[in-house]
Amino acid sequence: MTLTFLTGGARSGKSALAVRRARRSGRPVVFVATGQAGDEEMADRIARHQAERPEGWSTVEAPVDLVDACAALDPGACVVVDCLSLWVSNLMEHGDDEAATLDRARALAGWAAAYDGMVLVVTNEVGLGIVPMHPVSRGYRDRLGRVNAVLARDAGLAQLVVAGRTLTLDPQED
């Protein structure tokens, strides 16, 4: 099982769970971060996440070119990708249309499923609430949902994280 997909609401414990699993993997760990400190609040969030990571882990910043960054990694590591939610937002801001975003997501899923190591992908589940009022928000929710489905389909293990606990999702049906 190369790819583990962790989804859930904001502050549900997804990232902390990924960090614990990576720590226990016994492999060298590469943390691939998609967040960008565009404002003080986001800088604080990033700093809190960085403080949760053990020293000695490598960090790769990949806010847009996530697939290329992952493809360049040496085999055998435990790779934590945190998170798809910010990546999709960055791609939208970068000007990618939905087709381009989904092409990137398929490439990422293909890489992760074939990687000679362990991959933990973290993302937010944003489709459980009300339909957003603004078209951009609806587009983001829909696009992230489709990206999540692409990654979950290729995952050996897909879990919903709620209050730090997991619920294992059934495998993809054909």
Side-chain angles (χ1 to χ4, degrees):
M1 169 180 26
T2 299
L3 172 57
T4 297
F5 178 82
L6 301 171
T7 189
R11 311 305 313 156
S12 63
K14 305 174 301 290
S15 295
L17 177 60
V19 166
R20 287 194 309 274
R21 288 183 179 174
R23 186 182 290 133
R24 290 192 312 252
S25 74
R27 298 173 180 268
V29 178
V30 179
F31 194 95
V32 182
T34 63
Q36 299 179 98
D39 57 35
E40 189 174 323
E41 187 268 338
M42 190 62 180
D44 289 344
R45 284 178 178 269
I46 290 171
R48 280 195 307 273
H49 277 284
Q50 288 171 335
E52 293 175 354
R53 294 180 221 149
E55 289 193 29
W57 285 14
S58 300
T59 299
V60 174
E61 303 287 337
V64 174
D65 295 323
L66 179 58
V67 178
D68 291 341
C70 289
L73 297 175
D74 291 333
C78 177
V79 179
V80 178
V81 176
D82 196 357
C83 72
L84 296 183
S85 313
L86 292 173
W87 180 55
V88 168
S89 176
N90 295 340
L91 292 176
M92 290 177 73
E93 187 175 325
H94 182 259
D96 277 19
D97 63 13
E98 184 168 330
T101 300
L102 291 174
D103 284 345
R104 289 183 194 242
R106 284 187 283 275
L108 179 65
W111 168 82
Y115 180 69
D116 182 17
M118 180 178 176
V119 180
L120 300 159
V121 173
V122 176
T123 189
N124 283 4
E125 173 52 58
V126 295
L128 295 175
I130 62 172
V131 175
M133 290 177 54
H134 194 276
V136 172
S137 299
R138 286 192 301 273
Y140 171 75
R141 180 210 50 195
D142 294 349
R143 191 176 304 190
L144 179 58
R146 290 182 182 106
V147 166
N148 286 349
V150 166
L151 272 290
R153 182 182 57 240
D154 287 349
L157 176 64
Q159 293 183 306
L160 176 66
V161 182
V162 178
R165 304 292 299 265
T166 61
L167 176 64
T168 298
L169 305 174
D170 290 337
Q172 174 78 22
E173 291 186 26
D174 292 331

